[in-house]
Amino acid sequence: MFGKIARSTAAVLLLAALAGCGGGSDSDAGPPGGADGTITMGFSQVGAESGWRTANTKSIREAAEAAGVDLRFSDAQQKQENQIKAIRSFIQQRVDVIAFSPVVETGWDAVLLEARRAGIPVILTDRAIDSDDTSLYETFLGSDFVEEGRKAGRWLVDNTEGPVRVVELQGTTGAAPAIDRKEGFEEVIAERPDIEIVATQSGDFTRAGGKEVMEAFLKSTPGIDVVYAHNDDMGLGAIEAIKAAGREPGTDITIITVDAVRDGMQALADGEINFIVECNPLLGEQLMDLARKVVNGEEVPARVVTEETTFTPEEARAVLSEREY
Ligand code: GZL
């Protein structure tokens, strides 16, 4: 909001378009975008922790290429301080727009205020932030993680009877998908007092993390019926641990995950996972379209929710060959 007013004013006041990045509210900045209209985007990515992230990065890079966007890409290796450093660097470079997937929900107000003061609009993609000041960003593009958790809980409520002991592999501590997928799942299973989460711990959205936590659960927690993993990668790590313990994943222990990336869908098709809630990583095209509108001072929705579904083993077998990721 503030960024758009500053940019429009700068654009109206300044007739001569100088070469170089647009952005910035000082008086010598040309209209948004470079002299030839090229948009420069600074993008701070969470990291490369999962199959989902890899697919998301590929989608963003390919969409930037197709849209002629000059993409300045930074991988934060799942560290918030690296994302804050990258955003400050993008401000120094006076990019036209900043987009990022916040690794955790909190701690962003200061650096986003710096971007706003520099007149550079910010787009949140994939994960949201928990801030009272919604003017710090123009829009949020990504999934409804609470609904994803509800879908996982709904499948469990509808497909089990009697006492069910669940162990939960949470995503990165403080991350929106981890907080919200837990919230949605618990909201729905509350309908069944005989479904109980008997252990819960973060596996940090990685395969290694899921395996390590599941190994500990198998040693410390008797009578596990179900694993609810906040992403496929932790579910695949749990499968390794379950097999190493001489048990049958998908048969002895039911497994529910979120994402629907290729390796997860293959395990689902093979019957080692029982149900997957899709989380669509292909956000690149929508992001570039939103960026163009924001840079040009056009109105954009405060929230753009992505379309996604769920899969059973039979449904996975039917679509596996045509999946993009
Ligand atoms: C969800 C995304 C999550 C995925 C994980 O939009 O932020 O992060 O579910 C990824 O696989 O690590």
Side-chain angles (χ1 to χ4, degrees):
M1 294 58 173
F2 174 85
K4 274 202 286 290
I5 295 168
R7 280 196 315 283
S8 310
T9 307
V12 166
L13 291 177
L14 297 168
L15 299 177
L18 302 174
C21 300
S25 55
D26 51 46
S27 58
D28 67 358
D36 59 358
T38 303
I39 290 173
T40 301
M41 173 188 282
F43 188 91
S44 170
Q45 180 60 291
V46 165
E49 73 282 0
S50 64
W52 190 98
R53 190 65 54 196
T54 303
N56 179 246
T57 292
K58 181 170 181 285
S59 170
I60 288 162
R61 287 186 182 281
E62 288 178 352
E65 177 81 23
V69 168
D70 174 8
L71 182 68
R72 314 275 171 90
F73 185 91
S74 162
D75 174 335
Q77 297 172 331
Q78 287 190 279
K79 292 183 175 61
Q80 180 173 31
E81 64 265 26
N82 289 345
Q83 290 200 287
I84 291 172
K85 280 181 198 153
I87 292 170
R88 288 201 165 113
S89 169
F90 297 146
I91 294 170
Q92 290 305 317
Q93 296 171 51
R94 292 181 51 217
V95 298
D96 298 303
V97 60
I98 291 169
F100 76 116
S101 171
V103 60
V104 292
E105 283 193 340
T106 56
W108 302 101
D109 284 27
V111 73
L112 295 185
L113 205 51
E114 291 167 30
R116 185 167 72 182
R117 288 192 181 123
I120 300 176
V122 174
I123 296 175
L124 298 184
T125 168
D126 166 31
R127 298 183 183 179
I129 65 172
D130 179 10
S131 171
D132 295 334
D133 188 354
T134 55
S135 72
L136 290 172
Y137 54 92
E138 306 296 318
T139 183
F140 166 51
L141 162 64
S143 304
D144 179 342
F145 301 131
V146 178
E147 185 55 26
E148 290 173 348
R150 291 193 189 104
K151 289 176 182 175
R154 173 57 52 207
W155 183 88
L156 190 59
V157 166
D158 294 348
N159 288 275
T160 58
E161 287 177 353
V164 175
R165 291 166 58 81
V166 181
V167 293
E168 180 183 33
L169 299 173
Q170 292 188 44
T172 302
T173 303
I179 294 166
D180 292 353
R181 286 170 185 167
K182 181 173 188 55
E183 178 188 324
F185 184 75
E186 290 178 343
E187 176 191 302
V188 170
I189 67 168
E191 294 171 26
R192 285 267 307 276
D194 56 351
I195 296 178
E196 183 189 0
I197 297 176
V198 294
T200 182
Q201 189 176 329
S202 173
D204 209 18
F205 281 130
T206 66
R207 202 172 293 207
K211 181 179 179 184
E212 186 182 330
V213 173
M214 191 64 206
E215 284 168 347
F217 284 162
L218 287 165
K219 291 191 180 90
S220 65
T221 310
I224 297 171
D225 300 307
V226 174
V227 175
Y228 169 47
H230 290 182
N231 80 333
D232 291 353
D233 290 71
M234 292 190 293
L236 293 163
I239 286 171
E240 289 179 41
I242 292 167
K243 285 180 174 175
R247 317 269 309 270
E248 275 299 307
T251 308
D252 297 337
I253 296 180
T254 296
I255 299 179
I256 304 167
T257 68
V258 184
D259 276 350
V261 296
R262 180 167 302 284
D263 289 350
M265 292 288 275
Q266 186 61 63
L268 179 64
D270 296 344
E272 293 186 333
I273 292 179
N274 302 85
F275 187 69
I276 296 186
V277 176
E278 185 183 38
C279 178
N280 185 353
L282 305 181
L283 306 178
E285 277 185 38
Q286 286 174 286
L287 174 59
M288 297 310 148
D289 181 55
L290 284 167
R292 180 183 49 75
K293 287 176 178 168
V294 161
V295 168
N296 292 337
E298 296 172 32
E299 277 303 309
V300 292
R303 178 87 165 81
V304 179
V305 183
T306 46
E307 295 297 317
E308 47 205 35
T309 182
T310 60
F311 295 96
T312 62
E314 183 184 6
E315 290 163 339
R317 285 189 286 272
V319 302
L320 196 58
S321 61
E322 65 202 38
R323 294 281 293 171
E324 281 188 65
Y325 60 91

